[in-house]
Amino acid sequence: MYTGLTEEYSNIEYTSRGRPIIKVPMTVPEKIFCFATAILNIFMWIYVYINLEELPDEIVTHWDVNGNPNDTGSKYTLLLMPSISSGLFVLFNLIALIPHHYNYATLKVTIQNAHQVYPLAKTFIRYLNFTTTLLFTFILVLMIASAKSGQNEFGSLSIILMIIFPLLTTGIGLVIFLAKLTQYAGDS
């Protein structure tokens, strides 16, 4: 529990919900997730740039749940993956700047627990960004491999991974986040 309530905290601003508006430094896990996400985004841009010219003009852009292609489009649609992922990176990083506006459900965030709750919530936001970017990278690599090889069918395993991976990683992250968050409920 944070006990350093000194005069520097006597003039703290609060949100309309009564949450303290304080700046908390990035934690090591936050920095790792942020750095790894940035690297994955850079990798996606480079990977598309390196491969784009040698791809056919029309590629498979969507597959059904059995791994069979059901839509095609221009090879330039591949640019959407790193574009959306980079946009999400910026958005998630902006969201990480305002943990006092997050929805903490029933947890009352106070000056006593904000120094534990805010970094935890910010880390979870960056974790979500990392797992989303990892999924985009996986899909992009599969799309380019499919276009280069001419084999337009994904195996069922690839489709299952694309469905289960985000559910599993988000679920695990959420369970860990909520478990740690409940530790600070007594500090409110």
Side-chain angles (χ1 to χ4, degrees):
M1 180 165 86
Y2 183 78
T3 57
L5 301 177
T6 61
E7 291 178 16
E8 70 178 282
Y9 292 108
S10 61
N11 294 324
I12 290 188
E13 291 184 46
Y14 290 84
T15 66
S16 61
R17 294 180 181 175
R19 295 182 184 153
I21 301 173
I22 58 171
K23 291 188 186 229
V24 287
M26 283 180 76
T27 63
V28 172
E30 260 189 284
K31 290 177 183 177
I32 291 169
F33 286 132
C34 194
F35 180 75
T37 304
I39 294 298
L40 285 174
N41 276 304
I42 292 167
F43 168 79
M44 278 196 284
W45 282 108
I46 293 171
Y47 195 68
V48 168
Y49 178 77
I50 289 171
N51 289 289
L52 198 59
E53 288 306 313
E54 64 186 75
L55 296 178
D57 289 336
E58 189 169 310
I59 62 168
V60 175
T61 57
H62 196 271
W63 291 260
D64 64 21
V65 293
N66 296 317
N68 300 314
N70 62 5
D71 198 10
T72 59
S74 167
K75 65 182 178 181
Y76 295 102
T77 59
L78 290 172
L79 293 169
L80 285 174
M81 297 298 270
S83 298
I84 293 169
S85 185
S86 296
L88 287 173
F89 179 72
V90 171
L91 181 64
F92 275 95
N93 278 289
L94 289 173
I95 291 170
L97 297 175
I98 54 169
H100 49 276
H101 287 294
Y102 298 175
N103 183 357
Y104 294 100
T106 59
L107 178 68
K108 181 167 173 49
V109 180
T110 65
I111 191 64
Q112 286 81 15
N113 66 9
H115 292 276
Q116 291 86 21
V117 172
Y118 289 174
L120 182 62
K122 289 171 45 185
T123 300
F124 183 63
I125 292 294
R126 294 187 196 277
Y127 169 79
L128 288 176
N129 190 207
F130 171 72
T131 57
T132 303
T133 305
L134 194 60
L135 179 64
F136 275 45
T137 305
F138 177 69
I139 293 169
L140 178 71
V141 168
L142 286 178
M143 286 177 74
I144 290 175
S146 167
K148 286 173 88 171
S149 71
Q151 180 181 352
N152 293 326
E153 292 182 10
F154 279 162
S156 295
L157 179 62
S158 297
I159 299 300
I160 290 170
L161 283 175
M162 282 187 247
I163 294 169
I164 291 179
F165 174 78
L167 295 174
L168 189 62
T169 56
T170 303
I172 290 170
L174 187 59
V175 167
I176 292 169
F177 171 69
L178 291 174
K180 288 187 175 198
L181 197 60
T182 57
Q183 292 175 356
Y184 304 115
D187 293 343
S188 53

